[in-house]
Amino acid sequence: MTRDMAVALLLMLSMIFGTGSEAEEAFDVRKHFSTVTRYGVVKDVPNNAYVPSSVPDGCTPIHLNLVARHGTRSPTKKRMRELENLASHIQELVKDAEEKNLAQNVPTWLRGWTSPWKGKVKGGDLISKGEDELYDLGIRSRERFPELFSQDYRSDIYTLKATQVPRAAASAVAFGMGLFSGKGTLGPGKHRAFAVTSESRASDILLRFHDCCENYKDFRKKQEPAVDKLKEPVLDEITGAIASRYKLNFTRQDTSSLWFLCKQEASLLDITNQACALFNPDEVALLEWTDDLELFILKGYGKALNYRMGVPLLKDVVESMEEAIQANEGDLEKHPPGSNEKARLRFAHAETVVPFSCLLGLFLEGSEFEQIQREQPLPFPPKPPHNRNWRGSIVAPFGGNNMLVLYSCPANVSSKYYVQVLHNEHPTPMPGCGGADSCPFEVFKEKIAAPHLKHDYDALCNVKANRVEQSSMNTKLSALYRWLFPPGINEIV
């Protein structure tokens, strides 16, 4: 072999192995965990849902509304018990495989595996990664909007609200520490004290409207078994596949728990070579879809009540903008210079961020915005390998957020005030704004807010309402199940 031939062969081998390595890197399982995805993993992932900013030149931000989910948290006490049960069952399966001389395919980590949360008595709290997510978001918000955050802190200028759930309140504190860092005299970081207020969980219709809405709680309780039924064929097919692959007699519950373990290990502990390695990319995509489907049906566009019950929050956002406009118009008696609110910052849950995103019309396909305006039901997210806008990892990851920025614009702009939406800090199109990320405030009010604000929270959440809509949802779920999984079809598509 000549030297030139050897060089050519080396280049060819390099290209082959390089391509394989790049393909491997292209699939990052951490981006496929629906609402268990860590914020930093997906914040800057290229997404068709994001667009360049359309705010006119010369406009200046005068007010910001933030609706944020808490940061990455530990599993709840109930899910920790589930993992302990999984550990016990896995050891039984491994022992059975050993007795049958089938243990050669059993992953090493499964032998003697115990849950990392074994013995923990408290779950669901914000972890250090979650603190970092909100702290860093606070710093970035101040750097992005210096016009809004240049003033000294006052509780009436910068309002921080959180639910009474500790992980949400802790997220508000972490965000505030980042936002106001260097602005005080406390410790080496020159921090300062600030107020975080909460409503009672029993009456918090701004941030925990789902907890106070009897109709919604009734719907969810009745619908959860139907959603589980929709997920069963996918779980069964993947159960069969991994049972054959590893020679372990996994059950459907094992597969569900192993997928949950994968999400927890990767998002909380940065471990992707154990539970996550049990599934191939196609199986991960299907499991992610089942999570996204559940999110759509129980918290998103699957039922109008899911997001309509968020009207108190939408009303609060619109009213805060109207007050900011009044202050900017120069009513010195009501709003002396330096006294008007600059930011209303809220920290809550996926059950808050998802409905609020739906109220804004985010992540819709084609003509679906018009369907919502006509109060027509929407189709469910398409199953892989089909593309979809609705992804829980983008809609509401840990720390996921919506910012609505109100701008004051110069006289040469068609409208004096513009509203821009930033989802996870990126300009995001609103169908009500003609597919742009911003539009005149009056257009935002008329096209996006008004159709929802005609609904009354108490009327929506009265126990006697929506029985016809519930029946319609049951029919729709049955039809979807028959379409996705016709009799005799047992193959994963």
Side-chain angles (χ1 to χ4, degrees):
M1 181 184 293
T2 67
R3 182 176 181 277
D4 288 344
M5 290 174 63
V7 170
L9 180 60
L10 284 172
L11 284 172
M12 186 173 66
L13 290 171
S14 173
M15 289 173 65
I16 292 171
F17 289 112
T19 301
S21 174
E22 287 168 11
E24 248 180 51
E25 289 176 6
F27 183 80
D28 185 349
V29 70
R30 299 174 306 152
K31 298 175 183 176
H32 299 272
F33 295 153
S34 195
T35 57
V36 189
T37 305
R38 220 161 62 209
Y39 187 61
V41 173
V42 292
K43 181 181 77 70
D44 294 322
V45 169
N47 191 320
N48 292 334
Y50 299 145
V51 295
S53 174
S54 65
V55 176
D57 292 339
C59 298
T60 304
I62 61 171
H63 190 271
L64 183 144
N65 275 283
L66 171 69
V67 179
R69 187 187 178 198
H70 59 76
T72 301
R73 63 166 172 85
S74 63
T76 62
K77 190 174 181 180
K78 178 181 177 182
R79 300 310 293 265
M80 288 193 292
R81 286 199 300 268
E82 177 185 334
L83 292 179
E84 291 192 28
N85 292 336
L86 173 67
S88 298
H89 191 232
I90 282 177
Q91 298 320 306
E92 294 174 6
L93 296 179
V94 171
K95 182 179 179 182
D96 182 63
E98 289 172 342
E99 290 173 353
K100 296 176 180 177
N101 294 320
L102 298 173
Q104 60 271 22
N105 291 330
V106 175
T108 305
W109 70 271
L110 280 175
R111 301 172 189 270
W113 178 81
T114 58
S115 168
W117 296 277
K118 182 178 181 180
K120 302 285 186 184
V121 295
K122 180 79 168 62
D125 282 340
L126 195 69
I127 66 171
S128 59
K129 287 181 173 65
E131 293 176 4
D132 291 340
E133 288 164 344
L134 274 297
Y135 180 80
D136 292 342
L137 178 62
I139 291 175
R140 289 194 302 272
S141 299
R142 184 179 69 190
E143 292 173 347
R144 184 168 190 159
F145 301 107
E147 306 93 336
L148 297 177
F149 297 111
S150 60
Q151 286 185 235
D152 290 336
Y153 169 79
R154 270 178 37 186
S155 60
D156 56 340
I157 296 177
Y158 304 113
T159 306
L160 286 84
K161 293 181 179 291
T163 69
Q164 279 196 328
V165 179
R167 58 182 171 269
S171 295
V173 171
F175 179 92
M177 289 180 69
L179 184 66
F180 303 122
S181 59
K183 295 270 190 174
T185 59
L186 300 176
K190 294 187 177 180
H191 294 289
R192 63 148 301 129
F194 53 90
V196 177
T197 60
S198 298
E199 295 289 332
S200 166
R201 291 179 70 164
S203 58
D204 188 357
I205 64 171
L206 282 183
L207 298 180
R208 287 192 68 86
F209 38 78
H210 56 282
D211 249 2
C212 305
C213 185
E214 294 302 321
N215 254 347
Y216 174 72
K217 290 192 285 187
D218 182 56
F219 157 75
R220 182 161 178 168
K221 181 178 179 181
K222 291 177 179 176
Q223 214 58 62
E224 282 175 342
V227 173
D228 289 340
K229 190 74 175 173
L230 283 175
K231 296 161 69 171
E232 283 180 4
V234 169
L235 289 172
D236 287 345
E237 288 299 325
I238 294 176
T239 299
I242 62 173
S244 174
R245 195 177 301 150
Y246 304 110
K247 309 304 180 188
L248 294 170
N249 193 23
F250 289 124
T251 65
R252 180 196 301 153
Q253 180 58 55
D254 291 332
T255 301
S256 177
S257 296
L258 285 166
W259 174 235
F260 176 73
L261 174 62
C262 162
K263 293 184 287 189
Q264 298 298 310
E265 281 186 334
S267 287
L268 279 66
L269 307 175
D270 291 314
I271 297 172
T272 58
N273 61 351
Q274 292 190 167
C276 291
L278 296 175
F279 307 105
N280 65 40
D282 289 340
E283 291 162 351
V284 168
L286 284 167
L287 290 166
E288 177 190 21
W289 174 75
T290 64
D291 289 341
D292 289 348
L293 182 66
E294 178 176 340
L295 183 73
F296 184 93
I297 294 171
L298 298 181
K299 298 176 185 176
Y301 289 114
K303 182 177 173 69
L305 178 62
N306 291 350
Y307 51 90
R308 281 185 192 153
M309 64 179 172
V311 293
L313 174 57
L314 181 61
K315 182 180 179 183
D316 187 60
V317 167
V318 172
E319 288 178 349
S320 72
M321 292 191 220
E322 291 174 332
E323 292 168 8
I325 290 172
Q326 290 174 7
N328 195 60
E329 293 294 320
D331 188 339
L332 297 180
E333 289 188 10
K334 290 184 178 179
H335 306 280
S339 67
N340 52 302
E341 181 184 77
K342 296 288 187 182
R344 197 168 291 188
L345 311 164
R346 309 168 185 83
F347 303 87
H349 310 272
E351 291 87 349
T352 316
V353 173
V354 173
F356 187 66
S357 297
C358 294
L359 288 170
L360 299 178
L362 307 185
F363 307 109
L364 290 171
E365 312 265 1
S367 63
E368 289 179 344
F369 182 70
E370 287 73 24
Q371 289 178 254
I372 283 180
Q373 299 289 295
R374 294 193 297 268
E375 303 187 4
Q376 295 175 343
L378 298 184
F380 293 130
K383 187 180 179 184
H386 301 290
N387 293 327
R388 65 184 186 275
N389 281 345
W390 185 265
R391 291 185 176 276
S393 58
I394 301 297
V395 178
F398 287 128
N401 57 86
N402 284 312
M403 295 183 189
L404 275 77
V405 189
L406 179 67
Y407 288 85
S408 175
C409 297
N412 64 341
V413 176
S414 59
S415 180
K416 193 170 182 181
Y417 297 99
Y418 266 70
V419 178
Q420 180 189 39
V421 64
L422 302 173
H423 181 80
N424 296 344
E425 304 173 67
H426 293 279
T428 305
M430 293 179 283
C433 288
D437 66 304
S438 69
C439 60
F441 175 63
E442 293 304 322
V443 174
F444 176 86
K445 275 209 313 181
E446 178 190 349
K447 299 291 186 181
I448 295 175
H452 297 301
L453 295 180
K454 68 183 181 183
H455 295 285
D456 176 74
Y457 180 81
D458 290 331
L460 287 169
C461 293
N462 182 288
V463 177
K464 295 180 182 178
N466 292 320
R467 288 182 179 172
V468 174
E469 191 175 355
Q470 174 64 45
S471 175
S472 172
M473 171 60 78
N474 290 338
T475 302
K476 187 179 174 190
L477 283 172
S478 298
L480 174 71
Y481 186 89
R482 291 193 300 272
W483 176 72
L484 288 173
F485 313 110
I489 301 297
N490 295 315
E491 180 182 1
I492 294 181
V493 179

